[in-house]
Amino acid sequence: MKEITFIRNNFDKWRHLEEMLADVDGQSPADLADMYVDLTADLAFAQSHYPKSRITLYLNNLSSTLHNEIYKNKHEKWSRLLTFWTREVPLTMYQERKMLLISFLVFVGCALIGVISQMADPEFVRVILGDSYVEMTLENIANGKPMDVYNGGNETDMFLGITLNNVWVSFQTFILGIFTSLGTCWALFNNGIMMGSFEAFFYQHGLLGESLLAVFLHGTLEISAIIVAGAAGIALGNSWLFPGTYSRIVSFQRGAKRGLKIIVGTVPIFVVAGFIEGFLTRHTEVNDWLRLAFILLSLAFVIFYFIVYPRRLHNKNN
């Protein structure tokens, strides 16, 4: 790459870093650390390709200044626990907003495939969910309790089991990005097909409304968090497939760091979703309008926290 192209591609980023250093007390340690990783990667590239250039000297001085600021502020405050969810996760989500859209489209597309497949072949759901689960559900429908699957077992045990399983699914969806973004898309494919065929199965038995109210009472948060985990996985896969001006290993490290930040950010959502599924979903006797209101409230939170708020926060900082 020509030196002038390298400078042109990164000039805005370096200027933004200088602005951050001018107001370093107003920056979070995580933001400074992320910028330091970017800057040292640029410095390494410049040292390899333009060792005697003034831009290499500039980047070296800038890296030294930033290093000193990070070292000076190395002691974390307890407020980091708050700023992690109020600043770091939302800003990372803004950076990966295109990956979030891709993850959403992949999941919805696969859910539609599940719906179409089930409508074409009523036995398709058995391939996806297994004969035992389908037979149990058919028995529940015959007994007039189609959602009785959520009414089995101790509430606390269900809450813990569901939460741990959901966290594992999200981590698995993310980590499959190591095998390129196609690995994560495969996880989204499985979850989307499962949901689509499940809802189509209840539609065929005239119970779609009841199924949607029961499933999405907890599923709004749960499915949204899986889609967010998908965004993290796709970002991880793309980080080493398309490293840009970074070395492949540095690009992968940056992608992994951003992805892990997103995954950790979804854990409280899975905890809440697990609580709802373990303690509340089983109460299908609750008024339908109340359940619908709860679902819409959950959806509003997801849209605000993962889409609206990250954009507002980004615009405020720039």
Side-chain angles (χ1 to χ4, degrees), residues 40-289:
T40 51
D42 291 341
L43 175 60
F45 185 86
Q47 288 174 333
S48 298
H49 295 82
Y50 331 110
K52 298 181 180 180
S53 171
R54 293 178 62 184
I55 193 62
T56 303
L57 179 61
Y58 164 77
L59 291 174
N60 186 64
N61 291 336
L62 198 58
S63 297
S64 298
T65 302
L66 182 55
H67 177 272
N68 292 337
E69 291 296 342
I70 292 175
Y71 183 79
K72 183 181 69 176
N73 293 287
K74 66 178 182 178
H75 297 294
E76 298 284 1
K77 298 180 180 179
W78 283 104
S79 60
R80 173 73 188 278
L81 294 174
L82 177 61
T83 59
F84 178 79
W85 276 280
T86 59
R87 285 183 55 85
E88 296 180 38
V89 173
L91 287 174
T92 304
M93 287 306 308
Y94 181 82
Q95 292 176 341
E96 305 300 345
R97 59 194 183 281
K98 292 181 180 179
M99 301 304 103
L100 180 62
L101 177 60
I102 293 172
S103 180
F104 172 77
L105 292 176
V106 169
F107 183 88
V108 172
C110 294
L112 289 175
I113 292 174
V115 170
I116 294 171
S117 300
Q118 178 62 25
M119 296 303 292
D121 179 9
E123 298 299 310
F124 176 76
V125 71
R126 294 181 179 273
V127 177
I128 303 301
L129 299 178
D131 287 332
S132 60
Y133 186 89
V134 173
E135 291 299 333
M136 176 191 67
T137 304
L138 288 172
E139 183 178 346
N140 290 339
I141 292 173
N143 294 333
K145 298 179 179 180
M147 296 293 110
D148 208 39
V149 65
Y150 296 109
N151 197 32
N154 179 269
E155 293 174 331
T156 302
D157 291 342
M158 282 191 66
F159 159 58
L160 294 175
I162 290 167
T163 299
L164 291 175
N165 179 72
N166 288 341
V167 171
W168 165 244
V169 169
S170 70
F171 182 78
Q172 187 180 52
T173 301
F174 163 64
I175 206 67
L176 282 172
I178 291 177
F179 304 103
T180 77
S181 48
L182 293 178
T184 293
C185 288
W186 173 252
L188 292 171
F189 172 81
N190 288 331
N191 284 281
I193 286 281
M194 187 182 302
M195 191 194 79
S197 60
F198 181 83
E199 294 300 342
F201 170 76
F202 277 94
Y203 170 79
Q204 291 171 329
H205 289 82
L207 294 165
L208 178 62
E210 177 59 32
S211 175
L212 290 174
L213 287 174
V215 171
F216 280 91
L217 193 67
H218 61 271
T220 302
L221 295 177
E222 182 180 300
I223 294 170
S224 298
I226 289 175
I227 292 173
V228 170
I234 294 172
L236 176 65
N238 287 351
S239 68
W240 69 269
L241 275 179
F242 311 107
T245 59
Y246 303 105
S247 68
R248 204 170 293 278
I249 186 63
V250 169
S251 179
F252 178 77
Q253 289 172 344
R254 293 175 69 248
K257 183 177 180 180
R258 292 197 304 271
L260 282 173
K261 189 174 292 185
I262 292 172
I263 291 299
V264 173
T266 63
V267 170
I269 296 176
F270 279 122
V271 171
V272 174
F275 177 86
I276 295 171
E277 186 172 357
F279 288 90
L280 304 180
T281 301
R282 63 180 63 207
H283 296 290
T284 56
E285 73 280 1
V286 174
N287 183 272
D288 290 349
W289 287 106

Side-chain angles (χ1 to χ4, degrees), residues 291-304:
R291 289 194 289 174
L292 178 60
F294 191 89
I295 291 171
L296 293 177
L297 183 64
S298 298
L299 180 61
F301 165 77
V302 168
I303 293 174
F304 176 78

